[in-house]
Amino acid sequence: MAVHLSGLVKSYGEVHAVRGVDLDIAPGEVVALLGPNGAGKSTTVDMLLGLARPDQGSVAVFGAEPQQAVAQGHVGAMLQAGSLLPDATVGELVAMFAALHRAPLPVEEALERAGISELADRPTGKLSGGQAQRVRFALAVVPDPDLLVLDEPTVGMDVESRRAFWAAMRNLTAAGRTVLFATHYLDEADDYADRVVLMRSGRIIADGTADAIKNQVSGRRIGARIPGADPARLRALPGVSDVAVHGDRVTLDCTDADAALRALLSAYEQASDLEVRSVDLEDAVVALTSAADDQSDEARTGAAHDDAAHSRTDQESRP
Ligand SMILES: Nc1ncnc2c1ncn2[C@@H]1O[C@H](COP(=O)(O)OP(=O)(O)O)[C@@H](O)[C@H]1O
Ligand SMILES: [Mg+2]
């Protein structure tokens, strides 16, 4: 295993940041750790890197203690916080980092892999937010690591930088690198990960391919305008797993959309504005994260202030 997390628990005082996380990542997997703010992603990442000590549980990275794996250059990390030495140039900073490792990449190559060759002579104090993120990415790749751990790597990047960043990532993952990246952007998890690990309130609530997570919620969704529809009657239709009614608008989550649609049309001839679509990852995440709330745990202190709508809002409001 590239990463083996077992029974991880971490609290900060009253805040139960991580409450029992088990996760194995095989070499070559690209895994998104997805969840709203406060879900426990960064705390998990910090324990994986040996930057935070678990209250309970254990971490192994390529079979070793995390500090050891990092010291041996097996792991490259890009963290959420951390300032870059403002007086150094980008090239000097990357060279300094390279010197800490046994078998680093040449500086030019690290810059090239991060797509920032043209920034080599720029003082780090003169970078845009997106450029600074890509310099952090160059620092993560300079040890030529087998495992890359990236905490919200594209925060603060504009659309152009995001595209360049993921293009650079694709080159690395095509070369067989193992990657764990935390994100609250659903589209990034959907587009770039082989596997999505969904966290909520310090726990993993779903783990699989983006498609498997979508299927976990239900196959398809039918929308229709039906004045005066009876929710109980809709729910009893074949192939229907869940029903929502807002005024004249009904939404049916379906296990068998073909059967449901036929039954719907014979039950309600007046149904109009019909649409059938696949559940997208956002639908699935909203459903799964609110389902987790239903089984609410006694101590949600950690994330009581945010909810699934949070990631939705962030998603919609970004450029
Ligand atoms: N150093 C810390 N001290 C106190 N609380 C913390 C600390 N780090 C994280 N937390 C809390 O732990 C919870 C999980 O945080 P975090 O792991 O950063 O989540 P995420 O990265 O998913 O947004 C949050 O409620 C956060 O406020
Ligand atoms: Mg975080």
Side-chain angles (χ1 to χ4, degrees):
M1 278 299 148
V3 173
H4 176 67
L5 306 181
S6 174
L8 284 188
V9 172
K10 178 79 183 173
S11 297
Y12 296 104
E14 296 288 286
V15 178
H16 304 292
V18 168
R19 294 187 288 167
V21 162
D22 298 294
L23 181 65
D24 284 327
I25 300 176
E29 277 192 296
V30 178
V31 178
L33 191 58
L34 178 67
N37 290 326
K41 303 183 296 296
S42 292
T43 305
T44 301
V45 163
D46 288 351
M47 288 189 282
L48 162 56
L49 294 171
L51 299 172
R53 179 184 291 278
D55 297 339
Q56 291 172 42
S58 65
V59 178
V61 180
F62 297 112
E65 295 279 328
Q67 290 91 341
Q68 200 182 336
V70 172
Q72 289 174 346
H74 294 310
V75 185
M78 183 171 163
L79 299 177
Q80 252 183 311
S83 55
L84 305 168
L85 295 170
D87 294 330
T89 66
V90 168
E92 288 164 352
L93 180 67
V94 174
M96 248 183 265
F97 242 70
L100 300 174
H101 294 281
R102 275 181 208 170
L105 294 178
V107 170
E108 302 71 39
E109 192 173 340
L111 295 178
E112 192 186 318
R113 287 198 191 173
I116 52 169
S117 300
E118 75 285 0
L119 296 180
D121 298 325
R122 186 82 55 92
T124 61
K126 306 276 185 226
L127 300 168
S128 73
Q131 288 169 336
Q133 283 297 87
R134 285 161 69 196
V135 171
R136 290 195 180 90
F137 183 58
L139 299 179
V141 303
V142 79
D144 196 17
D146 305 303
L147 169 68
L148 271 172
V149 179
L150 313 169
D151 195 357
E152 309 240 8
T154 60
V155 159
M157 286 190 193
D158 59 18
V159 175
E160 193 54 40
S161 308
R162 266 163 58 96
R163 197 173 300 133
F165 171 82
W166 285 112
M169 278 288 296
R170 272 205 202 282
N171 288 336
L172 287 176
T173 57
R177 297 286 189 313
T178 312
V179 178
L180 175 69
F181 68 95
T183 185
H184 62 270
Y185 293 148
L186 290 152
D187 59 339
E188 291 189 341
D190 209 355
D191 292 346
Y192 301 107
D194 306 325
R195 176 175 162 204
V196 178
V197 173
L198 183 57
M199 277 192 84
R200 163 87 189 158
S201 305
R203 291 201 174 91
I204 293 173
I205 58 169
D207 180 351
T209 62
D211 285 339
I213 289 180
K214 293 172 201 175
N215 287 335
Q216 201 170 327
V217 171
S218 67
R220 277 159 182 268
R221 182 168 279 193
I222 296 174
R225 207 174 73 81
I226 309 177
D230 171 12
R233 189 172 171 207
L234 291 170
R235 204 165 282 120
L237 296 174
V240 172
S241 57
D242 201 7
V243 172
V245 177
H246 297 288
D248 288 353
R249 193 78 203 158
V250 308
T251 305
L252 307 180
D253 285 346
C254 304
T255 51
D256 181 346
D258 296 331
L261 189 58
R262 277 193 282 272
L264 180 70
L265 287 170
S266 58
Y268 292 99
E269 285 179 355
Q270 76 276 29
S272 61
D273 290 341
L274 283 156
E275 59 174 20
V276 182
R277 66 177 180 90
S278 300
V279 168
D280 62 21
L281 189 59
E282 179 166 359
D283 297 327
V285 166
V286 169
L288 288 168
T289 49
S290 53
D293 272 355
D294 294 344
Q295 304 149 12
S296 189
D297 337 74
E298 61 298 345
R300 290 195 55 234
T301 5
H305 54 280
D306 60 45
D307 52 31
H310 207 115
S311 57
R312 204 173 201 163
T313 319
D314 288 349
Q315 170 103 347
E316 283 163 4
S317 63
R318 71 164 207 275

